[in-house]
Amino acid sequence: MTDDVKSKWMEIALEEANNSLRAGEVPVGCIFIYDNEIIATGSNTVNETHNATRHAEMNCIDQVIKFSRDKNLNYQDVFKKVEVVVTVEPCIMCAAALHQLQIASITYGCANDRFGGCKSVMEVAPIYESKVDVIGGIRAEEAMNLLKQFYKGTNPNAPESKQKHNKRKNKEGND
């Protein structure tokens, strides 16, 4: 896949991330490409479903299984030809799933310095003896800006101890 093609595919993933942001989810968008056709699109639905595993990649995996079933294809064969384009480096859980499924490639936007499973925090590929091509940094600034927009606000579904609170200075001068 050329850099221009990667950028065009990433544009679609960024649209999914924007949809996710508007829905109050962490803005991660993902597409799965099979034979040069998008067969799955996904964004995070963690807040909507109250299920911490409903990341964009996991939602796409479910769609590929349905696609394979509907087309009477072996899903394992389909996954081996799938190219994943995702706005943020897959977390350790998602990276492990993608490597275990032996997908063809992962192209991501910005690094995931908190949970990244392709390089940033942990590289899961060696665990699976995976030969998956992984390329990062495609339209990274745009992907990072979406994350920054989300984290400027308060996640209403976060536990009370994890929510941001407006800090008010004590009127008596005490901080």
Side-chain angles (χ1 to χ4, degrees):
M1 204 183 315
T2 67
D3 284 347
D4 285 344
V5 171
K6 288 175 192 166
S7 183
K8 287 178 185 176
W9 288 126
M10 187 61 74
E11 178 67 30
I12 297 166
L14 286 164
E15 288 173 24
E16 285 294 318
N18 268 305
N19 293 339
S20 193
L21 180 63
R22 283 191 291 278
E25 299 281 353
V26 176
V28 177
C30 185
I31 62 173
F32 280 26
I33 305 154
Y34 174 74
D35 286 342
N36 211 32
E37 178 185 332
I38 297 172
I39 62 168
T41 60
S43 59
N44 281 3
T45 56
V46 170
N47 291 337
E48 173 190 335
T49 61
H50 302 285
N51 180 339
T53 68
R54 299 316 315 167
H55 293 190
E57 299 92 334
M58 295 302 197
N59 290 330
C60 283
I61 287 169
D62 289 347
Q63 291 175 43
V64 171
I65 292 169
K66 183 181 181 328
F67 168 86
S68 299
R69 190 178 307 126
D70 291 349
K71 301 283 185 181
N72 200 27
L73 299 169
N74 180 318
Y75 73 89
Q76 292 168 321
D77 294 336
V78 171
F79 277 116
K80 288 179 182 177
K81 294 181 181 179
V82 163
E83 298 175 89
V84 173
V85 178
V86 60
T87 57
V88 178
E89 175 187 2
C91 71
I92 295 167
M93 173 186 72
C94 291
L98 297 173
H99 284 287
Q100 189 169 19
L101 289 167
Q102 300 175 358
I103 55 125
S105 67
I106 300 169
T107 300
Y108 66 87
C110 64
N112 183 344
D113 294 336
R114 293 179 68 195
F115 307 109
C118 292
K119 181 178 171 179
S120 296
V121 174
M122 178 181 181
E123 191 171 357
V124 300
I127 295 168
Y128 295 98
E129 299 178 1
S130 176
K131 305 290 187 236
V132 173
D133 290 329
V134 178
I135 298 162
I138 305 299
R139 298 180 73 163
E141 188 172 332
E142 291 169 76
M144 182 57 73
N145 286 337
L146 288 171
L147 290 172
K148 286 178 181 177
Q149 277 183 282
F150 177 80
Y151 287 111
K152 280 181 188 174
T154 298
N155 181 348
N157 294 303
E160 185 66 28
S161 65
K162 300 287 184 182
Q163 289 186 7
K164 293 180 186 175
H165 297 283
N166 290 332
K167 294 182 181 176
R168 296 180 186 168
K169 288 189 177 184
N170 184 328
K171 290 184 179 183
E172 297 172 6
N174 298 332
D175 289 330

